[in-house]
Amino acid sequence: MSLREAAKDLGEELVRLRHALHREPELGLDLPRTQEKVLGALAGLPLEVTTGERLSSVTAVLRGGRPGPTVLLRGDMDALPVSERSGAAVVSALPGRMHACGHDLHTTMLAGAAHLLAARRDRLAGDVVFMFQPGEEGQGGAKIMIDEGVLDASGRRPIAAYALHVISSVLPRGLFVSRGGPIMAAADRLKVTVRGRGGHGSMPHRAADPIPAACEMVTALQTMVTRGFDVFDPVVVTVGSFHAGTADNIIPEEATFEATVRSFSAAAHGRVQERILTLLKGIAAAHALEVDAEYDVSYPVTVNSSAEADFTGDTVREVFDEHRYITAPQPFTGSEDFSFVCDQVPSAFVALGACPDGADPARAAYNHAPEAAFDDTVLPDGAALYAELAERRLGLEAATA
């Protein structure tokens, strides 16, 4: 029986696990109920299982029947602080929490891959590490797991790592998409406080108004992007929060705004922080004001190994169908903490269309939306691809050794 056929036989079990995870979404790094469900799903398999110290992670190592290197498979587990309005048959039972990004599917697929590969462990020419990761949604759980030793869990560094991510719209259901090179943007956070001196709105000359300076900073950031960075190596700065004042005739003492900063290369990522901070300080000085700027470097660019991306595409075409894989013409503008794995291991990050049956991908709600819905029918194919990538990659290494 092929891995794809075996995955189809697991279909009902995968749906049950995914629904259980979806009903009880958990946020951040502390996911005790999710961890318990994952441990239950792995129980009885010939795995070496450890859990995290600073987060509710699960690391499971499957030893192959023949000696060889290690391949890592990653699935993230955390949800979002979103109130679900998907209208799906199974919805979150916890108000204000939802698996709006599909991490419940990733976790389920990875557990399914563990079952598939455990049943074929005698064929494996090496070991597989299953990385069940909390805290992808902004907490950098992957980095913490790396610090706690996930990349060395088998006793040797992986030669390759793979991650899947479902998308609730845009892509037709069942389509796999990836590319070599940058696949997801770097994401940084900027928080700015412009400090002045309060006063009466009718006499601004007797105060030091922070609002015009803060507004100038917002528009200058956009000009900096278009004039300071290569249009073919873009940077995106979006100010999503701006607050100042309490009444129309009161000049406040301070104005604050927050922004997300996206970039698509290590070079741009390295320059953008310095350019932004220099710009903000210069504008504040020109207005005789003070500025506090907190620049949080969050996730680096997610960069796929060209060889691993090509290998993934070849695997999809052979296992599923020639038309089930396309090469993305450009990176996605979201960000991913799988980037920390990519920085140390040749990796491939792959998107999978999971738009519900009957929905128009062009109109369906995108990931993170309260209405986002994902189709359970992609679960077996995701589990099968995880397993195929691990088995074939180990086999390729053995064949060339």
Side-chain angles (χ1 to χ4, degrees), residues 11-217:
E12 291 184 4
E13 293 180 40
L14 297 179
V15 170
R16 280 195 295 270
L17 176 58
R18 188 255 163 161
H19 287 181
L21 293 167
H22 195 84
R23 289 189 190 97
E24 293 189 285
E26 296 179 293
L27 308 179
L29 300 173
D30 187 22
L31 318 178
R33 294 178 182 177
T34 304
Q35 184 186 61
E36 181 181 3
K37 292 180 179 68
V38 169
L39 293 172
L42 302 180
L45 298 180
L47 301 169
E48 300 169 12
V49 178
T50 57
T51 56
E53 296 178 4
R54 296 164 52 197
L55 72 177
S56 301
S57 62
V58 176
T59 300
V61 179
L62 177 66
R63 302 290 182 184
R66 293 180 287 156
T70 295
V71 167
L72 182 143
L73 305 175
R74 178 273 212 163
D76 40 7
M77 305 192 295
D78 55 320
L80 286 160
V82 172
S83 295
E84 183 162 10
R85 297 197 302 269
S86 69
V90 176
V91 297
S92 170
L94 302 178
R97 298 183 180 186
M98 176 190 175
H99 270 293
C101 203
H103 295 187
D104 51 337
L105 282 84
H106 309 160
T107 302
T108 299
M109 293 169 179
L110 190 56
H115 279 263
L116 295 172
L117 292 171
R120 301 159 69 97
R121 64 182 302 196
D122 290 346
R123 305 185 187 189
L124 296 180
D127 304 329
V128 182
V129 174
F130 302 91
M131 177 182 176
F132 293 90
Q133 180 216 308
E136 190 281 324
E137 296 289 355
Q139 296 80 24
K143 187 175 188 305
I144 298 173
M145 288 191 72
I146 291 171
D147 291 342
E148 292 191 353
V150 68
L151 297 184
D152 301 301
S154 72
R156 59 179 70 86
R157 281 285 168 120
I159 59 167
Y162 305 99
L164 292 178
H165 202 300
V166 293
I167 298 179
S168 61
S169 67
V170 181
L171 298 180
R173 178 167 50 98
L175 183 68
F176 294 94
V177 180
S178 192
R179 71 192 303 271
I183 182 70
M184 299 284 276
D188 301 333
R189 295 173 179 170
L190 174 67
K191 183 175 181 180
V192 179
T193 301
V194 183
R195 304 186 189 281
R197 187 174 66 256
H200 199 289
S202 66
M203 293 183 288
H205 61 285
R206 299 184 64 86
D209 192 346
I211 293 179
C215 291
E216 185 176 331
M217 290 174 184

Side-chain angles (χ1 to χ4, degrees), residues 109-376:
M109 293 169 179
L110 190 56
H115 279 263
L116 295 172
L117 292 171
R120 301 159 69 97
R121 64 182 302 196
D122 290 346
R123 305 185 187 189
L124 296 180
D127 304 329
V128 182
V129 174
F130 302 91
M131 177 182 176
F132 293 90
Q133 180 216 308
E136 190 281 324
E137 296 289 355
Q139 296 80 24
K143 187 175 188 305
I144 298 173
M145 288 191 72
I146 291 171
D147 291 342
E148 292 191 353
V150 68
L151 297 184
D152 301 301
S154 72
R156 59 179 70 86
R157 281 285 168 120
I159 59 167
Y162 305 99
L164 292 178
H165 202 300
V166 293
I167 298 179
S168 61
S169 67
V170 181
L171 298 180
R173 178 167 50 98
L175 183 68
F176 294 94
V177 180
S178 192
R179 71 192 303 271
I183 182 70
M184 299 284 276
D188 301 333
R189 295 173 179 170
L190 174 67
K191 183 175 181 180
V192 179
T193 301
V194 183
R195 304 186 189 281
R197 187 174 66 256
H200 199 289
S202 66
M203 293 183 288
H205 61 285
R206 299 184 64 86
D209 192 346
I211 293 179
C215 291
E216 185 176 331
M217 290 174 184
V218 172
T219 57
L221 286 170
Q222 307 308 313
T223 304
M224 178 209 72
V225 165
T226 61
R227 292 297 178 265
F229 290 87
D230 188 340
V231 67
F232 297 108
D233 186 11
V235 168
V236 176
V237 179
T238 296
V239 176
S241 172
F242 191 109
H243 298 279
T246 56
D248 66 302
N249 62 347
I250 301 173
I251 293 174
E253 290 186 324
E254 62 182 40
T256 64
F257 65 88
E258 297 184 39
T260 184
V261 183
R262 308 282 167 139
S263 52
F264 298 89
S265 72
H269 191 218
R271 288 180 57 228
V272 68
Q273 177 179 359
E274 180 183 356
R275 292 294 302 270
I276 285 175
L277 296 180
T278 299
L279 177 71
L280 298 177
K281 291 175 182 177
I283 293 173
H287 288 265
L289 300 172
E290 296 181 356
V291 63
D292 294 331
E294 299 177 18
Y295 194 98
D296 178 20
V297 178
S298 300
Y299 294 169
V301 183
T302 305
V303 181
N304 280 349
S305 157
S306 294
E308 298 304 334
D310 290 345
F311 171 73
T312 298
D314 292 342
T315 300
V316 172
R317 295 185 187 99
E318 184 172 340
V319 172
F320 298 99
D321 184 85
E322 182 70 26
H323 304 293
R324 290 281 302 274
Y325 181 88
I326 64 171
T327 299
Q330 57 198 22
F332 297 104
T333 54
S335 62
E336 248 289 343
D337 73 348
F338 187 63
S339 54
F340 293 111
V341 176
C342 296
D343 281 351
Q344 300 195 38
V345 176
S347 303
F349 181 86
V350 187
L352 169 59
C355 185
D357 188 29
D360 180 358
R363 298 178 180 271
Y366 197 73
N367 294 33
H368 288 217
E371 299 82 8
F374 303 87
D375 200 312
D376 288 332

